[in-house]
């Protein structure tokens, strides 16, 4: 299994619409990737977190293999990227991991 993580840095002047991210963006990804997206998770910086917390939000998309991830993204990545402007002005950090446990 692999995990594709997208992390949004906590930057001055950054905006992030958590409701849109939860209710529209990630469900769009799941729907469009279909069977190639096993599941996803969303992280949100909690209220009262220290101001220097490095990230305000993240998502993690789980796929059974890198091949499944690539198949799910193949015809959809441009639409996913285009939707980002609807919820944030922050440039994300993206990483891919093998899930060990």
């Amino acid at each position: 299994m692999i995990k594709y993580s997208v992390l949004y840095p906590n930057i001055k002047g950054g905006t992030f619409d958590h409701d849109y991210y939860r209710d529209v963006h990630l469900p769009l990804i799941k729907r469009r990737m279909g069977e190639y997206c096993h599941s996803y998770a969303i992280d949100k910086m909690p209220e009262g977190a220290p101001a220097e917390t490095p990230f305000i939000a993240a998502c993690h998309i789980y796929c059974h293999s890198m091949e499944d991830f690539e198949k799910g993204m193949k015809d959809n990545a441009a639409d996913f990227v285009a939707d980002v402007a609807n919820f944030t002005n922050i440039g994300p950090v993206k990483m891919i991991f093998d899930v060990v446990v």
Side-chain angles (χ1 to χ4, degrees), residues 48-68:
E52 65 275 4
T53 300
F55 298 98
I56 62 166
C59 77
H60 312 282
I61 299 170
Y62 296 88
C63 300
H64 289 291
S65 66
M66 193 65 199
E67 181 181 43
D68 278 0

Side-chain angles (χ1 to χ4, degrees), residues 23-84:
D23 298 337
V24 179
H25 188 69
L26 268 295
L28 168 71
I29 290 172
K30 175 69 173 146
R31 185 174 59 253
R32 295 280 295 275
M33 287 185 72
E35 66 182 311
Y36 300 118
C37 175
H38 174 269
S39 60
Y40 66 86
I42 298 171
D43 300 330
K44 177 182 177 183
M45 184 175 74
E47 294 293 326
E52 65 275 4
T53 300
F55 298 98
I56 62 166
C59 77
H60 312 282
I61 299 170
Y62 296 88
C63 300
H64 289 291
S65 66
M66 193 65 199
E67 181 181 43
D68 278 0
F69 175 75
E70 290 169 349
K71 286 178 182 176
M73 286 292 187
K74 183 179 178 187
D75 296 327
N76 297 302
D79 291 339
F80 299 158
V81 170
D83 191 48
V84 171

